[in-house]
């Protein structure tokens, strides 16, 4: 799932904001244990393993790779998080 202008974010070569990414995953996965993962690329983590989610907060866009969120009806707290953001 992505919010913002992904094309611009991926071509601008902006640095990811790791603290913001942690804030995003905590908002989308309340109550889950969160551990930082090593840096990787979108191509490597587009379809993460069970129990894993990857987030990149870049200038102009936020990208979330999470198989569970991609295959369920989004819960209300995720829809609230997305409210007002470009999709």
């Amino acid at each position: 799932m992505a919010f913002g202008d992904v094309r611009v974010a991926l071509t601008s070569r902006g640095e990811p904001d790791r603290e913001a990414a942690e804030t995003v995953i905590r908002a989308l996965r309340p109550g889950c244990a969160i551990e930082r993962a090593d840096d990787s690329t979108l191509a490597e983590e587009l379809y993460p393993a069970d129990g894993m989610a990857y987030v990149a907060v870049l200038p102009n866009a936020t990208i979330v790779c999470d198989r569970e969120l991609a295959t369920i009806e989004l819960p209300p707290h995720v829809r609230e998080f997305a409210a007002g953001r470009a999709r």
Side-chain angles (χ1 to χ4, degrees), residues 2-13:
F3 309 98
D5 191 334
V6 175
R7 183 186 58 79
V8 170
L10 295 177
T11 59
S12 68
R13 302 192 187 279

Side-chain angles (χ1 to χ4, degrees):
M1 125 179 45
F3 309 98
D5 191 334
V6 175
R7 183 186 58 79
V8 170
L10 295 177
T11 59
S12 68
R13 302 192 187 279
E15 288 296 315
D17 183 335
R18 287 165 181 80
E19 289 181 28
E22 187 172 330
T23 299
V24 169
I25 198 61
R26 288 189 186 285
L28 297 178
R29 293 303 207 130
C32 289
I34 306 296
E35 295 179 25
R36 284 191 178 199
D38 293 334
D39 287 349
S40 57
T41 67
L42 181 60
E44 294 170 326
E45 307 306 346
L46 190 57
Y47 196 71
D50 286 336
M52 296 293 292
Y54 293 92
V55 177
V57 176
L58 302 164
N60 301 302
T62 297
I63 301 167
V64 179
C65 296
D66 184 325
R67 284 174 36 192
E68 185 175 330
L69 290 178
T71 59
I72 62 170
E73 180 177 342
L74 295 177
H77 75 277
V78 175
R79 290 193 306 270
E80 288 170 14
F81 179 84
R85 298 172 192 256
R87 296 187 267 283

